[in-house]
Amino acid sequence: MTVTAVQSSAPKIGRLVVVGLGLIGGSFAKGLRERGLCREVVGVDLDAESRRLAVQLGVVDRCETDLAAACQGAEVIQLAVPILAMEKLLAELAKLDLGDAVLTDVGSAKGNVVRAARLAFAGKTVRLVPGHPIAGSEQSGVEAANAGLFRRHKVILTPSEHSDAAAMALVESLWRELGADVETMEVEHHDQVLAATSHLPHLLAFTLVDSLAKRSENLEIFRYAAGGFRDFTRIAGSDPVMWHDIFLANREAVLRTLDTFRDDLDALRDAVDAGDGHQLLGVFTRARVAREHFSKILARRAYVDAMHSTDLIFLAKPGSSLSGRIRVPGDKSISHRSIMLGSLAEGTTEVEGFLEGEDALATLQAFRDMGVVIEGPHHGRVTIHGVGLKGLKAPAGPLYMGNSGTSMRLLSGLLAAQPFDTVLTGDASLSKRPMNRVAKPLREMGAVIETGPEGRPPLTIKGGQRLTGMDYEMPMASAQVKSCLLLAGLYAAGRTSVTEPAPTRDHTERMLRGFGYPVSVEGSTASVESGHKLTATRIEVPADISSAAFFLVAASIAEGSELVLEHVGINPTRTGVIDILKLMGGDITLENQREVGGEPVADIRVRSAKLKGIDIPEDLVPLAIDEFPVLFVAAACAEGRTVLRGAEELRVKESDRIQVMADGLIALGVKAEPTPDGIIIEGGSIGGGEVWAHGDHRIAMSFSVASLRASAPIRIHDCANVATSFPNFLALAAEVGMQVAEEGKA
Ligand code: S3P
């Protein structure tokens, strides 16, 4: 059989020796040989048939039976023998003069290889780069060698601090040539991770099948096994000898994970024995969400593979008129608080209309991590088995808040008063946001909190502190800071009062009362005292006015439009967007006004209107704080000039919303001038072009709305975070007649 060499570049190295011509060694040799990256590829294997096949199939140029002859003058030596044969092979290699050759390997446990090399080469220098490609196939042997086996698979290199940088770079570049994603890790970490994610599952699959098979009279029992058994035990069909080797090679790490797992299994056994359904539900709901998370990682990997990029681009085309009745997803602020207070309540809280966006889900996951059993979400329904104010448990690791400032700031108040330590982390955008606004007042109450540099995340919160209530005058109008301190106040000695410089959203105060917790509000001061309890309740989350805002502006600016947005929360601390649009000449009416679970709601009818520029009254700023990006789009379509002042808070949201919106509007030909605390926008025409959302969900959606009046399509980069607050934005936009879609999917 002849193999055509795919000459990707001039040879990178002279001679490559691959010792062990199985699936992995063979695929490595074949891939590099086909790409013409080595002047010569030499194979070594004890089995004559493998050597013959390797040459015949074009896996190597030639084979040697003698290791010394093969290695003489070699530049790279790849050790691809079974893991237990590694020790002997390294001892033999140590006797040879390897010159400058770089040694690397593919063993699936690394500690034993590194130890064996240290022993074999005692005192001598060796250029060893331990490696492990996480790839395989159901087939084995050199005949299954596949040059593309490692493409888009991870390869983990585990260099030590003594490793030679040039050797490391060379090995890394070879794997990259084969299309692999190379990462580095410490040896112990690698072995522990692999013991947990690969070795333990194999051990369980082998034992389960054996345990069932040997106890039944014959193998008949498997006739009754269905998909669950098949899915769980597929890996029990793997190569027994190879797995026997792996368990012996990675003994310590396997034992550690196995012991932890046995404890968990025992606990589950006890729960079944005791009829403890709560415990079972806790394990199963947590496991399910972890599995879903894993599926998403896999899906994202597939997506990234397809696109070769993580940039999610929206392509928004100029549109016609909008019409229809829609319900946008649940309110983000209320969804966060429903999980927090439901978890701290006594009894079972049922939530409906919960926002299944990434931000609210981050809060939900944090409480699961602290031992709260939460069922759902499923079509917006969540059931929270409250643990009471003192029932949270220490999480096993840092709590990851994703993109969500609300989760981090509100939780910091609550966690400052717990008996255990916590660490709160977030994504790149959240990691840049100011946290001193909560850390400083919490410290005044007695909390021990460390922030990262310049008051940024991560937050490290020391548990076991006694907090004392205080009167706090907030320097900025922030509902997050107010809520954070009120939550801390549930635990602090005496009374905690927060005075705000301007009204901010009051969902925390309303919901605390809904859970039967007394809150006093006098003028601009809200106060709580510790010593009371929360009692489970039913919460119906209204649709989020911040999400509705995109359609309020869309229908206002697109001629001939009429839309009804159903069941929208119209809490007076949130309706600044309606007031501002009305001042601009917007045609908006509230219908069917009612109160649901302590929050006012209405259906909002919006018709297109000729908007005019205005000076936005400063007292409306905190009441429309999240809606400014899309209000800037309204301003760009209005006649005349719109001026915003007193909104410096916009600079520290998910992005610097003043700068990012100004940049985008200017790119689309709009006259926009950012100021330190606002923006000046001259209404006029909008052109098409390219804009960047900077990972900010509201910027991405605002420019989608802008396209309705643009003269050409708008390409909006970095839109993945729309999923944080409005996961079905594109679907609803299409339903009412907008033409915006993920690029490539339109
Ligand atoms: C929120 C308060 C506001 C808002 C955020 C949600 C809340 O933040 O921008 O989207 O749920 O309390 P600030 O408190 O920083 O103004």
Side-chain angles (χ1 to χ4, degrees), residues 24 81-85 106-112 115 132-133 135 190-191 194-203 206 238-255:
I24 301 289
V81 298
I83 188 118
L84 288 190
V106 296
S108 32
K110 303 273 44 101
N112 71 314
R115 271 192 305 275
H132 174 206
H190 169 277
D191 286 359
L194 267 289
T197 56
S198 167
H199 307 172
L200 181 64
H202 279 84
L203 191 95
F206 281 126
S238 311
D239 180 353
V241 177
M242 182 181 91
W243 280 99
H244 144 278
D245 285 10
I246 290 175
F247 284 113
L248 296 179
N250 198 21
R251 210 160 24 205
E252 291 92 14
V254 166
L255 287 180

Side-chain angles (χ1 to χ4, degrees), residues 264-335:
D264 290 344
L265 198 59
D266 282 346
L268 208 60
R269 189 205 169 280
D270 292 347
V272 173
D273 188 21
D276 183 350
H278 183 256
Q279 167 78 2
L280 297 179
L281 205 56
V283 174
F284 300 161
T285 46
R286 284 197 304 273
R288 179 184 164 141
V289 81
R291 181 65 175 75
E292 278 166 4
H293 178 69
F294 173 63
S295 309
K296 271 196 212 133
I297 292 179
L298 287 182
R300 198 168 301 165
R301 216 179 273 166
Y303 176 78
V304 173
D305 283 358
M307 305 296 291
H308 298 285
S309 124
T310 49
D311 183 9
L312 180 59
I313 297 172
F314 282 3
L315 188 61
K317 297 188 185 148
S320 45
S321 56
L322 310 186
S323 62
R325 290 181 77 91
I326 52 170
R327 178 165 171 167
V328 299
D331 187 279
K332 186 152 76 71
S333 295
I334 299 177
S335 295

Side-chain angles (χ1 to χ4, degrees), residues 268-444:
L268 208 60
R269 189 205 169 280
D270 292 347
V272 173
D273 188 21
D276 183 350
H278 183 256
Q279 167 78 2
L280 297 179
L281 205 56
V283 174
F284 300 161
T285 46
R286 284 197 304 273
R288 179 184 164 141
V289 81
R291 181 65 175 75
E292 278 166 4
H293 178 69
F294 173 63
S295 309
K296 271 196 212 133
I297 292 179
L298 287 182
R300 198 168 301 165
R301 216 179 273 166
Y303 176 78
V304 173
D305 283 358
M307 305 296 291
H308 298 285
S309 124
T310 49
D311 183 9
L312 180 59
I313 297 172
F314 282 3
L315 188 61
K317 297 188 185 148
S320 45
S321 56
L322 310 186
S323 62
R325 290 181 77 91
I326 52 170
R327 178 165 171 167
V328 299
D331 187 279
K332 186 152 76 71
S333 295
I334 299 177
S335 295
H336 281 298
R337 288 157 172 85
S338 70
I339 298 294
M340 296 180 190
L341 300 192
S343 296
L344 299 177
E346 292 173 22
T348 304
T349 291
E350 298 282 351
V351 184
E352 274 193 55
F354 180 80
L355 165 66
E356 297 184 38
E358 287 172 6
D359 277 13
L361 291 173
T363 293
L364 192 153
Q365 184 59 34
F367 281 89
R368 277 198 174 121
D369 290 345
M370 293 188 284
V372 182
V373 175
I374 304 175
E375 295 173 69
H378 184 63
H379 299 320
R381 286 183 71 95
V382 182
T383 305
I384 309 163
H385 299 265
V387 295
L389 278 164
K390 303 240 160 86
L392 296 178
K393 298 204 187 91
L399 297 171
Y400 180 66
M401 306 285 104
N403 193 248
S404 176
T406 310
S407 310
M408 188 171 283
R409 297 207 179 112
L410 268 60
L411 271 175
S412 66
L414 186 63
L415 295 173
Q418 300 303 318
F420 48 82
D421 300 348
T422 34
V423 176
L424 302 181
T425 62
D427 72 2
S429 148
L430 182 53
S431 299
K432 288 193 213 131
R433 299 184 64 187
M435 291 297 146
N436 275 339
R437 54 178 61 198
V438 288
K440 280 192 176 149
L442 285 172
R443 284 187 199 121
E444 284 179 42

